[in-house]
Amino acid sequence: DVRTAGALLLLYGQFVSRLTRLTAADIEQHGPDTCLRLDTVPVLLPPQLATLVRAQLDAAPAHPRNPGPRPLFPGRSPARPVAPQTLTRRLRQHGIEPRQARNTALAAWASDLPPAVLASLLGVHIQTAVNWASHTRRDWTTYLAERVRVGTPAPRKTARPE
């Protein structure tokens, strides 16, 4: 469960509490492709991650008294998901710091996708997506304007010896 949760966290930047709420209903099989529904759009999982997710789902036993979809990360009772604090502790024991992993993943996504796509794909609030996009923008105009404002001298040309 740590490998699967860690991979989902590192790749898709989800909160641990959100990972613990994932169920079998959030995993969709479309022919040979496995998709994970994080919000409204199913996200295609890379093949190795799809194998991990399917193995995790197969390892999560169905509970006869729970008619609903079984949790992807079951807790002590197979009918209930693992507590977010427990999964967070397990991730940290394996060297994955959830907050840093989430921030890194969101920064990577935001540098490549428009905020509207990021929000619907990963299920984050649109303002969160806009904030990440502004933090990761590739535009250097703010840096250059600040450099001019502060008056940082430009590198001097040195005379070349002849």
Side-chain angles (χ1 to χ4, degrees):
D1 64 340
V2 173
R3 286 181 63 197
T4 306
L8 291 171
L9 176 68
L10 290 164
L11 189 57
Y12 298 112
Q14 298 297 301
F15 284 114
V16 173
S17 60
R18 192 161 188 197
L19 292 177
T20 61
R21 291 191 305 260
L22 291 174
T23 67
D26 297 314
I27 312 299
E28 300 175 4
Q29 199 67 38
H30 300 281
D33 298 328
T34 303
C35 296
L36 174 65
R37 187 174 297 275
L38 297 170
D39 192 37
T40 58
V41 178
V43 178
L44 178 64
L45 296 175
Q48 291 179 335
L49 181 54
T51 301
L52 275 176
V53 169
R54 283 193 306 267
Q56 176 67 29
L57 193 56
D58 292 343
H63 194 273
R65 287 181 269 156
N66 183 14
R70 65 185 188 270
L72 182 60
F73 300 104
R76 288 185 186 198
S77 165
R80 300 187 54 152
V82 66
Q85 299 85 352
T86 303
L87 188 55
T88 298
R89 188 184 75 250
R90 288 184 197 158
L91 288 165
R92 286 183 176 146
Q93 287 172 344
H94 287 83
I96 300 172
E97 181 57 47
R99 181 176 293 197
Q100 291 172 355
R102 180 176 190 274
N103 290 348
T104 302
L106 288 176
W109 281 99
S111 68
D112 291 335
L113 295 175
V117 174
L118 178 65
S120 67
L121 188 67
L122 299 182
V124 296
H125 191 275
I126 186 65
Q127 189 57 52
T128 301
V130 168
N131 290 344
W132 276 107
S134 70
H135 288 312
T136 60
R137 69 176 155 245
R138 295 180 182 174
D139 184 11
W140 288 84
T141 55
T142 305
Y143 166 76
L144 294 172
E146 182 65 16
R147 191 167 172 181
V148 169
R149 187 186 71 75
V150 173
T152 306
R156 286 187 267 158
K157 292 183 180 178
T158 56
R160 298 181 83 178
E162 293 188 28

